[in-house]
Amino acid sequence: PEDWRTVSSLSTPYLRKSAFAVPSDAPNGFDKLSFEWFARDLAADADPFSVAEQVAGTIRGNCRGGREQPVFAGEENGYPTVVRLLLCPELNGTEPPRGEMLMMKAVEGETGFWVVVRGRELSADTPPTAEQLRATVGGWSTAMRTITLCDPADAAHPCPDTAAVSEPAPRPAP
């Protein structure tokens, strides 16, 4: 989206990561989106479930009272894929206290694992209502389905026709 800015980028032979952020309505808040590719040594039996669990475990370790739920498990464009929602009402050591909501998608590609994370900072004092959570998760789920792994050289993993993707409608002026 137009207001998103690159906040970090890293590229090594074993890890590529890009993170983007835009201010949110929350005081001192943010929306963030990151794309990560891992080609490091993982267990021989690694799959999107175990990679998602590894990432979720790191997040859970930084959270007080967090919970998570599966959103999707199956194949997208011929690649094994797992999507999970993580809700952390209070991150450890934040002042003022804040929480975080994350939707994570792990995809097993031919050369490694891709992890896409969409997140939003939450106020620990005034958690979102169930209706706000449903609306956010619904929007994120729709957006996550549009992010797919593809291989233009392999008919089993076709790339979308980017010419058919329309530009988003302009946002009204404030």
Side-chain angles (χ1 to χ4, degrees), residues 13-51:
Y14 301 102
L15 170 69
R16 287 191 305 235
K17 178 178 180 175
S18 296
F20 308 90
V22 65
S24 75
D25 297 335
N28 300 317
F30 63 88
D31 270 345
K32 69 180 181 182
L33 176 66
S34 72
F35 297 92
E36 302 175 24
W37 171 75
F38 300 91
R40 64 180 173 205
D41 294 332
L42 294 169
D45 61 348
D47 59 26
F49 288 100
S50 61
V51 172

Side-chain angles (χ1 to χ4, degrees), residues 70-142:
V71 175
F72 173 80
E75 283 199 355
E76 284 187 353
N77 203 23
Y79 292 107
T81 304
V82 171
V83 180
R84 292 169 91 167
L85 178 68
L86 298 101
L87 185 61
C88 174
E90 189 173 342
L91 290 165
N92 295 332
T94 57
E95 194 54 49
R98 65 180 175 82
E100 194 169 55
M101 179 170 56
L102 303 168
M103 183 171 282
M104 173 183 48
K105 180 177 192 172
V107 183
E108 182 178 2
E110 299 295 331
T111 60
F113 289 89
W114 293 85
V115 178
V116 179
V117 180
R118 175 75 191 263
R120 172 169 282 168
E121 188 172 83
L122 304 173
S123 167
D125 298 328
T126 55
T129 65
E131 184 177 311
Q132 291 169 322
L133 287 174
R134 272 193 300 279
T136 299
V137 170
W140 286 2
S141 294
T142 299

